[in-house]
Amino acid sequence: MVVLAASIISKSGKALVSRQFVEMSRIRIEGYLAAFPKLVGTGKQHTYVETENVRYVYQPIESLYLLLVTNKQSNILEDLETLRLLSKLVPEYSYSLDEEGINKTAFEILFAFDEVISLGHKESVTVAQVKQYCEMESHEERLHKLVLQSKINETKDVMKRKASEIDKSKIEKNRGEKGGYMSLQSMGSGRIDTGFGNDTSISISSSGGFGGGSGFGSSTDVDSFSTKSKGRPPASATAPPKGLGMKLGKTQRTNQFLESLKAEGEMIVEDVRPSVGQSKPTAPPPTDPVTLTVEEKLNVTLKRDGGIGSFDVQGTLALQILNQDDGLIQVQIETGGNPGILFKTHPNINKELFSNENILGLKDSNRPFPTGQAGDGVSLLRWRMQSSDESLVPLSINCWPSVSGNETYVSMEYEASQMFDLQNVVVSVPLPALREAPNVQQIDGEWRYDSRNSVLEWSIVLIDNSNRSGSMEFVVPPADTSAFFPISVRFTATSTFSDLKVSNIIPLKGGTPPKFSQRTVLSTENYQVV
């Protein structure tokens, strides 16, 4: 018996796994395999076909054929026994007997074939032995890995000891340079000038010493952050003593690196030191005794050929109270009456009161709302809206790339709904890797090219009734049209889908209701064109 090759072939004639066991040209083996689908008949009981030169012994496996190509002098009974053993091995390694499963486990199947057939002859092995041979671990390999890992661990320990020794030497060196003692003058005053950018500094003064025999006393004063005007020399009275001052600022190498990033199109924001008590720029601190925040987040997926993939709006109403005396209140709200919005109250809110009168109050009327909450406060109400109505989409983006010669022309346009005035709109278009910025030929708004991420950002500060539609055209080298997707969009608005408004604050202990304000914002969380 001489097995020339073993293969797994689809019924369409595609060879998924092939193993050659004797010396023979590749073209000849491929010719044998290509001829097999034409020789297989339908409705025949036997599973072998003979030609003038070779014999095909095969077995159907669902939608595939397991095939042995042998010479005509081989023993057909041994061939069938070999085929039966191989047919038992294939399901052991492939999780599914189809093209995908065979392709993912092709190497494991080939290794198993090699254990069964050697130089064209069948080995005396069983399925269990083949699995054991293929899974067998090498003791020498395992020992080598253990030795290698121990060397790596030893090297890490040496590195840690060296680093510790270097740190200790630096500390000792600094102590030696300072001399161990400081003069009374240097202990009485000092100044540390730390540069954030090039024109700001932090002034720190300290005083201490032995006070007239009355014991030891010390005090440390930290001045507020100060800002120097550019080009203004510091006063000599506040200059740090030589050897004691410390200056932290941008080095020349850092400036060169930032300049190179700017040349590549990156937006560099200089470090700005916040003043004492400065608040977050995006969320100013509340000034009214009661502040209510209505916030909706938009998750939309638009199809590039038109239509909506998904549309989801999630909203919250948050309450923030400054003084504990104003906590015994109820909140009267008005909704826009949108039937597609489902409201859900906090577990501590009186649901019956809200359902009947649109009033948000705690179940225990003697219990005040919490005060001093971080962020926007405590959430009272949540809602959600899902729809497939394309008319609800605040902003539609159309992108039409077309290849012409050695260039790709991309035409884009936006159409905004009449429902909202959109602010800070940014449309991010992915681009193929470019050597230089794209050639923007026409644009309504402004553009910026992020060379590091290869993204073109189209920004419009405000979209209102004066510019409900706009367009942009740019040219890049030839590229596949799918390279310009998915397109990401972000914007904000001061009105929401729920149109929820706070109409009144009801004090439970009587008297004048506290002053309140409402903040309303609609923002995008995940808005894409795919």
Side-chain angles (χ1 to χ4, degrees):
M1 168 193 174
V2 176
V3 179
L4 305 180
S7 179
I8 299 178
I9 300 179
S10 65
K11 291 188 176 181
S12 61
K14 180 181 179 181
L16 306 178
V17 175
S18 297
R19 185 70 172 97
Q20 179 181 340
F21 298 106
V22 297
E23 291 187 5
M24 187 179 296
S25 65
R26 177 180 175 182
I27 296 177
R28 187 176 176 185
I29 289 293
E30 290 177 349
Y32 288 150
L33 297 178
F36 171 72
K38 303 175 184 178
L39 300 174
V40 177
T42 58
K44 296 182 180 180
Q45 297 297 324
H46 55 75
T47 57
Y48 72 93
V49 178
E50 288 189 356
T51 64
E52 183 179 353
N53 299 318
V54 296
R55 178 189 296 143
Y56 298 95
V57 185
Y58 63 93
Q59 177 178 334
I61 306 178
E62 295 187 3
S63 61
L64 308 173
Y65 286 114
L66 177 60
L67 172 66
L68 291 181
V69 182
T70 69
N71 57 11
K72 296 182 68 174
Q73 292 75 29
S74 67
N75 189 329
I76 185 64
L77 296 179
E78 292 184 5
D79 295 343
L80 292 175
E81 179 65 22
T82 304
L83 187 67
R84 184 185 64 83
L85 180 58
L86 295 181
S87 66
K88 292 182 179 180
L89 285 172
V90 172
E92 294 288 338
Y93 292 97
S94 178
Y95 63 90
S96 61
L97 298 178
D98 54 13
E99 291 190 20
E100 182 180 1
I102 297 297
N103 286 331
K104 287 188 176 181
T105 57
F107 286 104
E108 288 80 0
I109 295 174
L110 286 176
F111 296 152
F113 283 4
D114 285 340
E115 296 296 334
V116 176
I117 303 172
S118 176
L119 298 176
H121 298 278
K122 178 181 177 297
E123 298 286 342
S124 180
V125 292
T126 63
V127 174
Q129 288 175 332
V130 171
K131 291 181 65 177
Q132 181 181 2
Y133 295 158
C134 291
E135 296 173 359
M136 187 176 294
E137 295 183 358
S138 171
H139 176 71
E140 293 181 355
E141 180 183 3
R142 185 167 53 185
L143 182 61
H144 172 72
K145 289 182 178 180
L146 291 175
V147 173
L148 183 62
Q149 186 63 40
S150 65
K151 291 182 178 179
I152 293 175
N153 294 336
E154 184 180 354
T155 304
K156 289 182 179 179
D157 293 338
V158 172
M159 292 172 60
K160 290 180 181 179
R161 289 197 299 268
K162 292 292 185 182
S164 178
E165 292 175 1
I166 292 173
D167 291 339
K168 289 181 180 179
S169 64
K170 287 182 177 180
I171 294 174
E172 295 296 333
K173 183 178 180 181
N174 291 336
R175 288 178 179 175
E177 290 179 353
K178 290 180 180 179
Y181 293 96
M182 299 177 64
S183 64
L184 292 177
Q185 178 181 2
S186 61
M187 292 179 63
S189 64
R191 179 181 178 88
I192 301 177
D193 189 12
T194 306
F196 286 75
N198 294 320
D199 52 6
T200 57
S201 66
I202 302 177
S203 179
I204 301 178
S205 64
S206 60
S207 61
F210 299 94
S214 60
F216 179 75
S218 65
S219 64
T220 303
D221 299 327
V222 180
D223 297 341
S224 61
F225 295 100
S226 61
T227 304
K228 298 183 295 183
S229 60
K230 292 185 177 180
R232 178 182 174 184
S236 58
T238 60
K242 186 176 181 181
L244 295 179
M246 181 174 62
K247 178 86 173 182
L248 300 178
K250 294 189 179 74
T251 63
Q252 184 177 1
R253 181 177 299 177
T254 304
N255 291 330
Q256 292 176 354
F257 175 69
L258 295 178
E259 291 297 332
S260 64
L261 287 181
K262 290 180 180 179
E264 293 179 2
E266 293 292 329
M267 182 179 293
I268 306 301
V269 180
E270 297 289 342
D271 292 336
V272 178
R273 183 198 327 237
S275 60
V276 174
Q278 183 181 3
S279 61
K280 296 186 296 183
T282 56
T287 56
D288 294 318
V290 178
T291 303
L292 294 112
T293 302
V294 179
E295 183 177 11
E296 287 185 351
K297 292 188 178 297
L298 193 57
N299 293 274
V300 176
T301 302
L302 303 177
K303 299 178 181 178
R304 67 183 73 176
D305 298 326
I308 297 180
S310 63
F311 181 90
D312 182 80
V313 179
Q314 297 183 10
T316 57
L317 172 63
L319 171 67
Q320 192 170 29
I321 301 175
L322 293 183
N323 302 319
Q324 191 173 1
D325 296 339
D326 298 325
L328 285 171
I329 58 173
Q330 290 179 341
V331 181
Q332 176 81 54
I333 65 171
E334 297 177 358
T335 60
N338 191 331
I341 296 180
L342 301 176
F343 290 95
K344 186 175 182 180
T345 59
H346 190 277
N348 294 332
I349 296 296
N350 191 332
K351 294 181 175 59
E352 184 178 354
L353 183 64
F354 173 72
S355 301
N356 297 333
E357 304 181 38
N358 275 353
I359 294 178
L360 295 169
L362 294 175
K363 293 179 180 179
D364 185 1
S365 58
N366 296 322
R367 178 183 173 187
F369 281 107
T371 59
Q373 296 290 322
D376 293 329
V378 60
S379 295
L380 304 181
L381 187 67
R382 293 181 180 177
W383 60 92
R384 186 173 186 178
M385 183 182 73
Q386 293 179 321
S387 177
S388 58
D389 187 1
E390 194 170 358
S391 63
L392 294 176
V393 175
L395 186 66
S396 299
I397 303 294
N398 296 319
C399 180
W400 298 89
S402 59
V403 180
S404 177
N406 293 327
E407 293 180 326
T408 300
Y409 293 84
V410 182
S411 298
M412 298 187 62
E413 62 177 357
Y414 72 83
E415 294 182 5
S417 170
Q418 298 285 342
M419 295 187 297
F420 304 102
D421 289 344
L422 307 181
Q423 302 171 357
N424 302 319
V425 181
V426 178
V427 181
S428 300
V429 185
L431 301 179
L434 304 177
R435 294 185 176 180
E436 55 186 15
N439 180 15
V440 179
Q441 297 181 340
Q442 184 272 330
I443 187 170
D444 293 328
E446 299 178 353
W447 67 277
R448 170 182 171 269
Y449 175 57
D450 184 355
S451 60
R452 175 171 296 179
N453 299 316
S454 192
V455 172
L456 177 62
E457 293 186 349
W458 178 16
S459 59
I460 306 100
V461 176
L462 175 64
I463 297 180
D464 54 14
N465 291 328
S466 63
N467 59 343
R468 292 291 177 189
S469 62
S471 61
M472 175 178 67
E473 296 180 0
F474 63 90
V475 181
V476 295
D480 186 68
T481 55
S482 61
F484 303 96
F485 296 92
I487 300 173
S488 300
V489 184
R490 64 180 185 269
F491 57 80
T492 60
T494 55
S495 55
T496 59
F497 286 91
S498 63
D499 197 23
L500 189 146
K501 292 181 175 60
V502 179
S503 59
N504 191 20
I505 297 295
I506 305 172
L508 297 179
K509 60 182 180 180
T512 305
K515 183 180 179 182
F516 74 93
S517 61
Q518 177 178 339
R519 173 177 170 265
T520 304
V521 60
L522 170 69
S523 62
T524 56
E525 189 172 43
N526 186 14
Y527 200 110
Q528 288 188 330
V529 182
V530 298

